[in-house]
Amino acid sequence: MTAPAPIRQIVIVGGGTAGWMAAAALTRLVPAGIAVTLVESEEIGTVGVGEATIPPIRNFNALLGLDEADFLAATQGTIKLGIEFVNWTRDTHRYVHPFGEFGFDIEGVKFHQIWRKLYEQGRAREIEDYNVCALAMRAGRYQPPVSDPGSILSRMAYAYQFDAGLYARYLRSYAEARGVVRVEGKVAQVPLRAEDGFIEAVVLEGDRRIAGDLFLDCTGFRALLIDQALGAGWESWSHWLQCDRAVAVPSESPGPEITPFTRSTAHRAGWQWRIPLQHRVGNGHVYCSADISDDEARETLLANLDGAPLRDPFILKFEAGRRKRAWHRNCVALGLSSGFLEPLESTSIHLIQSGIHKLMALLPDTGFSPVERDEYNRLTDLQMQQVRDFIILHYHANQRQQGDLWRRMREMAIPETLERKLALFRNRGRFFRYEDELFAESSWIAVLLGQGIVPQGWDPLADGLDDDKLATSLSRLHEMFARAAQAMPRHEDWLARNAPARTPA
Ligand SMILES: Cc1cc2nc3c(=O)[nH]c(=O)nc-3n(C[C@H](O)[C@H](O)[C@H](O)COP(=O)(O)OP(=O)(O)OC[C@H]3O[C@@H](n4cnc5c(N)ncnc54)[C@H](O)[C@@H]3O)c2cc1C
């Protein structure tokens, strides 16, 4: 029996963030001899949002060998040290989800357990005061992390905020310079092979035909290949995540200060993001259309900008959920075509990155063994569910008095996977990270505590340590962290010195 032939031609349909991330990564990852073609339609355009990321984006950029300063300069990029949540727990309340760890474990006991015990005694500050990213966020400062584990700066972690259009353009020039062929045109038909229903080719308006072995559906919410051609199915999660629209608008920067974080502010029927870039601020109001009209959502957004809008607000419609099979036959969906979770924790771009890595780890041949496909789908489902649970947590654990959305979210039944996590944490602050879960313990702890879930007790291991010594250690730790944060340059000064924006071509 002869082995199936290797893949020779990969066709990517769609030139948004997903399409160009995939194209750029493939130039580094696939063996020589595999041709990559990307089809996109300027007339259709891209979704035009997606500007905040999480720290693993740096691994993606490192894979491509991008120079950080050049990348930030080209994309009007800024540093993101975390997310500030305003009014999420209740009105006028604020907390942060900083990247990077809280404190240091002491004699094998987790820092948050020690903190919980001393907080009970009134001998610990708020937990954010022991996180160098949180303190730097508050001070509007930034300095790159260092690798020496003895340095406080080794506790720093960061991601980026950038202009989505410029990012796609940047990746496009990278990919084209390394051999990816870009075809401008609108896909009009997707003929399937009679014998097995696999995609044979995509046919553009004007009848140009592009054949391939493997097709990546990066067509955004249209899901042209995976859904319209292949009907891979959709599982809705809208009973848990009820927001189904966003109205977005860029605005002028309010002044020279550029906050090194994304802000999320809860409103009556949703929440508003604020993403500071070098040249402007990205804003959007995510809302539940059953609770508020488009006009009112638009007015709420405009009333809560801190700079003049730079264009008319535009509305996007979506549904939370996932593609039942993100890999179906010879097609893999990446980006919005594969599923949607609202951008509360800026996870969509990461899910694209993770999809590309999984696909490369399971790269098929033209025999398309179900073994590889099934593992890809299993891992994708698991990751989507874990991110979904993290997002639901923010909504569910709220004490907001205003707005029916918040009452429904508080009272709804949540997934069993999240229920279990909450019960463990409520009891003695325990947390387990299952199967390579994206968000680490420190992220969950930040949001659990931030949303007002304080464990009833603590790990008995913390009782084996001397309270007075712990109180002294915590107080020193905070001083060290605060001093380190204050010694950093202001974020906008660091950018101006290290990565000043290039005017987009
Ligand atoms: C309101 C909102 C806010 C978001 N904020 C964030 C965030 O802060 N952080 C984050 O990580 N993610 C965020 N996301 C998600 C993020 O925007 C997307 O994951 C990312 O932009 C990838 O989009 P995409 O490439 O899948 O789709 P798109 O950008 O929609 O690209 C689709 C591409 O397919 C092409 N296409 C479609 N049909 C055809 C056709 N027939 N023929 C040829 N080409 C075609 C289009 O021209 C386009 O090039 C947000 C999403 C929304 C809706």
Side-chain angles (χ1 to χ4, degrees):
M1 214 175 80
T2 51
I7 299 263
R8 289 270 169 245
Q9 176 72 49
I10 299 179
V11 179
I12 302 171
V13 183
T17 304
W20 285 114
M21 279 179 80
L26 291 184
T27 67
R28 299 296 281 211
L29 295 173
V30 295
I34 300 186
V36 180
T37 305
L38 184 146
V39 186
E40 70 173 317
S41 159
E42 261 173 36
E43 192 190 317
I44 294 176
T46 65
V47 70
V49 283
E51 308 198 312
T53 61
I54 52 176
I57 184 92
R58 292 172 50 219
N59 301 337
F60 184 77
N61 285 2
L63 165 81
L64 301 187
L66 300 183
D67 173 70
E68 183 176 80
D70 187 65
F71 155 77
L72 286 170
T75 60
Q76 298 276 358
T78 56
I79 299 293
K80 175 179 171 188
L81 296 175
I83 306 177
E84 181 185 42
F85 289 94
V86 181
N87 298 344
W88 271 84
T89 316
R90 54 188 178 275
D91 273 337
T92 73
H93 180 266
R94 281 170 193 260
Y95 73 93
V96 296
H97 165 197
F99 302 140
E101 312 269 322
F102 291 100
F104 287 94
D105 295 353
I106 299 177
E107 292 185 33
V109 183
K110 296 196 179 231
F111 178 79
H112 76 276
Q113 296 287 1
I114 293 167
W115 171 84
R116 174 66 191 92
K117 182 182 171 197
L118 290 197
Y119 196 71
E120 181 81 11
Q121 301 169 3
R123 298 168 88 186
R125 309 169 68 100
E126 295 304 319
I127 195 151
E128 293 173 13
D129 287 330
Y130 306 97
N131 184 299
V132 71
C133 284
L135 293 163
M137 281 166 75
R138 208 182 286 161
R141 294 176 183 273
Y142 169 70
Q143 185 168 340
V146 298
S147 52
D148 172 8
S151 163
I152 297 284
L153 295 178
S154 68
R155 308 299 273 179
M156 294 280 288
Y158 68 97
Y160 307 115
Q161 303 162 130
F162 50 65
D163 182 310
L166 295 177
Y167 185 54
R169 204 187 296 178
Y170 190 67
L171 294 181
R172 173 180 160 183
S173 36
Y174 177 98
E176 286 189 305
R178 288 162 181 78
V180 172
V181 174
R182 174 186 180 275
V183 177
E184 170 64 35
K186 219 188 264 182
V187 173
Q189 291 168 51
V190 184
L192 307 183
R193 282 197 315 232
E195 65 273 25
D196 54 12
F198 277 40
I199 298 175
E200 207 166 57
V202 289
V203 180
L204 311 190
E205 281 179 357
D207 272 358
R208 178 164 176 192
R209 185 185 174 87
I210 300 169
D213 301 311
L214 172 65
F215 291 82
L216 304 188
D217 184 341
C218 299
T219 60
F221 287 131
R222 282 182 178 75
L224 194 67
L225 311 186
I226 198 78
D227 183 45
Q228 292 188 37
L230 298 182
W234 177 259
E235 181 182 334
S236 172
W237 288 336
S238 58
H239 50 297
W240 285 313
L241 293 168
Q242 299 175 14
C243 288
D244 56 357
R245 287 189 197 180
V247 52
V249 73
S251 64
E252 283 174 8
S253 305
E257 185 190 350
I258 304 176
T259 52
F261 58 87
T262 295
R263 178 175 295 134
S264 164
T265 305
H267 293 315
R268 180 178 68 77
W271 61 276
Q272 179 164 338
W273 76 76
R274 179 188 187 278
I275 303 176
L277 309 181
Q278 292 197 41
H279 62 327
R280 62 167 172 79
V281 175
N283 311 275
H285 179 190
V286 174
Y287 58 98
C288 179
S289 62
D291 295 84
I292 191 174
S293 69
D294 291 344
D295 282 346
E296 204 190 326
R298 196 182 293 113
E299 279 162 28
T300 304
L301 172 69
L302 293 173
N304 287 285
L305 300 181
D306 55 13
L310 292 167
R311 55 163 290 181
D312 287 337
F314 56 102
I315 289 184
L316 295 151
K317 297 183 182 172
F318 47 75
E319 181 182 40
R322 65 165 188 113
R323 194 66 54 203
K324 279 193 181 146
R325 279 155 296 176
W327 179 340
H328 190 41
R329 300 183 190 152
N330 59 340
C331 175
V332 177
L334 291 172
L336 298 171
S337 60
S338 67
F340 185 73
L341 287 166
E342 60 185 76
L344 189 55
E345 285 285 348
S346 323
T347 40
S348 288
I349 293 173
H350 177 77
L351 293 173
I352 299 169
Q353 173 184 347
S354 156
I356 296 167
H357 281 291
K358 284 197 283 283
L359 177 59
M360 288 302 107
L362 293 162
L363 190 68
D365 55 30
T366 53
F368 282 93
S369 159
V371 174
E372 283 138 3
R373 181 202 60 203
D374 292 350
E375 186 61 6
Y376 181 93
N377 286 336
R378 190 187 75 79
L379 293 170
T380 303
D381 292 351
L382 180 67
Q383 189 167 48
M384 285 285 285
Q385 281 172 29
Q386 290 170 336
V387 174
R388 175 202 68 194
D389 284 1
F390 191 45
I391 294 175
I392 293 175
L393 164 67
H394 298 63
Y395 277 105
H396 180 62
N398 84 81
Q399 302 153 24
R400 286 180 58 84
Q401 296 304 311
Q402 250 199 348
D404 200 42
L405 172 71
W406 300 97
R407 182 195 53 74
R408 293 199 306 275
M409 293 305 241
R410 211 165 35 232
E411 292 174 359
M412 75 182 172
I414 54 175
E416 182 273 334
T417 38
L418 177 59
E419 192 74 73
R420 217 160 5 103
K421 271 202 163 88
L422 284 180
L424 261 176
F425 190 80
R426 271 203 188 100
N427 186 26
R428 283 182 186 269
R430 260 76 174 246
F431 176 85
F432 292 92
R433 193 178 185 182
Y434 302 103
E435 292 206 63
D436 250 356
E437 175 151 3
L438 173 59
F439 286 101
E441 183 173 69
S442 54
S443 292
W444 278 88
I445 286 169
V447 176
L448 284 159
L449 291 174
Q451 292 290 147
I453 302 181
V454 180
Q456 282 145 17
W458 49 85
D459 191 327
L461 291 177
D463 287 328
L465 304 175
D466 181 276
D467 288 357
D468 292 338
K469 280 193 190 147
L470 289 178
T472 311
S473 300
L474 255 62
S475 152
R476 278 209 199 113
L477 214 51
H478 168 67
E479 274 168 31
M480 271 169 14
F481 280 5
R483 226 178 299 124
Q486 278 307 328
M488 295 177 190
R490 291 201 56 81
H491 175 225
E492 56 276 8
D493 295 340
W494 185 88
L495 286 171
R497 252 198 319 277
N498 295 284
R502 284 199 293 275
T503 314

